[in-house]
Amino acid sequence: MTHSPVDPFTPAVELAAAIRRKEVSPVEVADCYLRRMDGLDPRLNAFCHRADADVRKAAAAAADAVARASSPDDLPPFHGVPLPVKDFLDVAGWPTTYGSAGADRTPAAASDQVVRRFVEAGFVPLGKTTTSEFGSLPFTESEALGISRNPWDPGRTPGGSSSGAGAAVAAGMAPLAHAEDGGGSIRIPASCNGLVGLKPTRGLVARAAVVVEGLAASGVLTRTVADTAATLDVLVRHDPAAWWSPPTPRGSFAEAAGNDAPAGLRVGVLTDSPVAGIPVDPACAAAVELTLRALEAAGHRIVDARLPLPATDELVASFTTLWNALPWSGRRPPVDLDLGHDLDLGLDPGHG
């Protein structure tokens, strides 16, 4: 059978469907993205760990499963689709550095449960993507991982802390990518790279570890809402052992995304910056305005919204203290960290 060339910008849902129809092989798909990584990543620095042999082995196993399947419906929804993992989650056999030169680089003995859900859904792990040290900055420029760059303009940042995830998807080095968001680490790269980035509600995607008291959530960066919704369908599952875990939704996010919204919804809009002194870029405000006009034309009612936030100084001070204390929470003393050279939190390096 002659397969069609792989378009690296094909949405993940469509790519999975093409694999199930045997129009393209998981091996061909994996090779396509590995070649693009070879050509583009030396400049963009989106990947911090590559394990091409593991990727090709998993893709070959996925191809064998396609050949053996009696029906396409026997295959998981994203069978054979490559997906890179942010260097925050363990993947069995690969190191996890959290973007830090002070991290233990011993390969993980087992995969994080979010990674296991990706694999159960058919995804092929496609290396690890760069992140700022412990995800504490909205860009990646570190001794451990170097500088990650924006594919649209390599002189600019792809945002962060899921820097490599955003750059990889925007450059067509992956159809979608795992990302994690505590203070904007999915949403910021989505904005910087022109992608879809949804931070799931607290507890919706359960993890074995509690990250900053549930502030951080795993999700994906994609090029389409359909891909984001379909990925949520495989990630969202009630976990009775988790600290926060709502019941598994009865409906499908993918189906909901494909349906017309009920007419007459009340849509709240907020365009003011929650941080005093940091203005909203006019281009962002204009994009919101275009969206609002489209929603009004569809019959929805727009209302101004105000977030019930404390005073800006109190909000920023509380968040900054919590976020910057994370690297020292039982990991490494400040002397081992890039952040330790720049931040003074009054911590004793001898009591890290």
Side-chain angles (χ1 to χ4, degrees):
M1 178 182 297
T2 301
H3 292 152
S4 302
V6 178
D7 179 352
F9 294 97
T10 301
V13 169
E14 296 178 18
L15 192 57
I19 290 172
R20 286 195 298 273
R21 291 192 299 264
K22 300 182 180 180
E23 295 173 356
V24 65
S25 162
V27 173
E28 293 171 313
V29 173
D31 283 342
C32 169
Y33 290 110
L34 292 174
R35 285 194 300 270
R36 289 187 67 82
M37 290 160 65
D38 290 340
L40 298 173
D41 201 48
R43 174 62 167 153
L44 300 177
N45 189 33
F47 288 84
C48 60
H49 179 76
R50 289 185 60 169
D52 294 12
D54 292 346
V55 175
R56 290 192 169 98
K57 181 178 179 180
D64 289 342
V66 172
R68 294 194 310 268
S70 57
S71 166
D73 295 336
D74 294 338
L75 300 170
F78 287 100
H79 187 78
V81 176
L83 175 141
V85 177
K86 182 178 178 179
D87 196 22
F88 256 45
L89 298 187
D90 286 343
V91 176
W94 297 357
T96 302
T97 72
Y98 304 95
S100 176
D104 182 355
R105 295 179 179 270
T106 302
S111 294
D112 184 275
Q113 64 183 17
V114 171
V115 175
R116 294 198 301 270
R117 288 184 183 176
F118 280 132
V119 173
E120 290 168 3
F123 285 111
V124 173
L126 185 70
K128 289 284 198 79
T129 55
T130 57
T131 175
S132 58
E133 191 168 39
F134 297 110
S136 50
L137 297 171
F139 53 85
T140 294
E141 297 183 14
S142 67
E143 290 184 13
L145 303 184
I147 300 174
S148 296
R149 301 182 182 278
N150 193 308
W152 296 98
D153 180 354
R156 297 179 182 271
T157 179
S161 63
S162 303
S163 308
V169 177
M173 290 188 285
L176 78 174
H178 163 259
E180 197 160 70
D181 189 322
S185 294
I186 289 176
R187 293 159 290 169
I188 294 169
S191 177
C192 289
N193 294 283
L195 303 173
V196 177
L198 173 70
K199 178 185 179 180
T201 299
R202 174 182 292 200
L204 204 60
V205 180
R207 277 195 59 187
V210 179
V211 183
V212 198
E213 291 303 311
L215 182 61
S218 269
V220 287
L221 283 162
T222 72
R223 284 189 286 272
T224 69
V225 172
D227 277 357
T228 296
T231 308
L232 278 179
D233 280 337
V234 303
L235 287 180
V236 175
R237 191 183 314 161
H238 174 66
D239 183 352
W243 285 63
W244 296 279
S245 185
T248 301
R250 295 181 180 179
S252 162
F253 291 102
E255 290 180 4
N259 295 334
D260 292 334
L265 293 178
R266 185 165 61 99
V267 180
V269 58
L270 172 69
T271 55
D272 295 330
S273 172
V275 181
I278 299 180
V280 175
D281 190 286
C284 295
V288 171
E289 185 64 25
L290 285 174
T291 303
L292 296 180
R293 301 291 76 81
L295 290 169
E296 283 183 328
H300 304 301
R301 183 164 63 93
I302 307 301
V303 297
D304 288 332
R306 293 291 181 270
L307 294 178
L309 296 174
T312 296
D313 290 346
E314 179 184 346
L315 171 68
V316 173
S318 298
F319 178 81
T320 302
T321 299
L322 175 66
W323 203 243
N324 288 337
L326 175 64
W328 286 274
S329 59
R331 300 179 188 274
R332 288 288 184 275
V335 70
D336 289 338
L337 308 179
D338 286 350
L339 291 173
H341 305 308
D342 302 319
L343 299 177
D344 181 8
L345 301 181
L347 299 175
D348 180 356
H351 295 83

